[in-house]
Amino acid sequence: MRTRNIALSSVAAATALLGVAGTAAADSTPAPSTSTSASTSAAAKSGAGDGAQALCKRVPKIEKRIHRALQRLEGKAGRRGSVARLEKRLEKAKAAGHTEIANFLDHKLTRRKSLVPTLQQRQKDLAKVATWCRTHHNAASS
């Protein structure tokens, strides 16, 4: 019982201190000057703050992931996760008269088929991003 009371009073004290410190910090924050806003607009033009550098760094990994996903989806009927394999399963379920299973697999197939054009579009967009990264001296995507 005593340990719980000590813990609760510690949490209450820490919360009170953080609340006072946060209010003091907010009161002492200076208003932005015109020189600050000028540097902010320059940073916006250079792409700072939009995550460009991080995205350029991740481009190779994203390309590999999209390529693997497309290979899997476009694989033959023996490949797990392929559209062809799911179509084969759907045909077997229909032939066996399992309407509920066939309905489930049909919806799953529709979703999986819709992934192909989406991933192909992302692949095209990512190629443009990689080109942008190379032209803006971000060698991480080379």
Side-chain angles (χ1 to χ4, degrees), residues 9-140:
S9 62
S10 298
V11 170
T15 304
L17 286 174
L18 288 175
V20 171
T23 305
D27 291 340
S28 65
T29 305
S33 64
T34 56
S35 63
T36 305
S37 62
S39 65
T40 304
S41 65
K45 289 180 182 176
S46 68
D50 65 352
Q53 186 175 10
L55 181 59
C56 288
K57 187 177 180 180
R58 291 190 340 253
V59 164
K61 288 183 180 182
I62 297 170
E63 285 175 337
K64 286 179 187 176
R65 193 173 338 133
I66 291 173
H67 180 71
R68 275 194 323 251
L70 281 171
Q71 276 186 325
R72 183 176 54 246
L73 289 169
E74 295 170 344
K76 295 183 180 181
R79 173 98 187 230
R80 289 183 70 187
S82 70
V83 171
R85 181 180 178 124
L86 194 53
E87 286 172 339
K88 191 175 180 181
R89 287 179 59 198
L90 177 61
E91 289 171 13
K92 286 182 179 181
K94 284 181 181 178
H98 301 152
T99 55
E100 290 82 9
I101 303 298
N103 190 29
F104 175 80
L105 292 176
D106 187 44
H107 289 125
K108 194 172 180 176
L109 180 62
T110 302
R111 169 75 172 119
R112 196 169 289 178
K113 282 182 176 179
S114 74
L115 284 175
V116 175
T118 301
L119 289 173
Q120 289 170 340
Q121 183 60 48
R122 284 186 187 169
Q123 200 171 36
K124 290 175 189 173
D125 292 344
L126 195 61
K128 292 176 186 176
V129 168
T131 302
W132 184 91
C133 291
R134 282 191 295 276
T135 60
H136 287 80
H137 309 292
N138 293 328

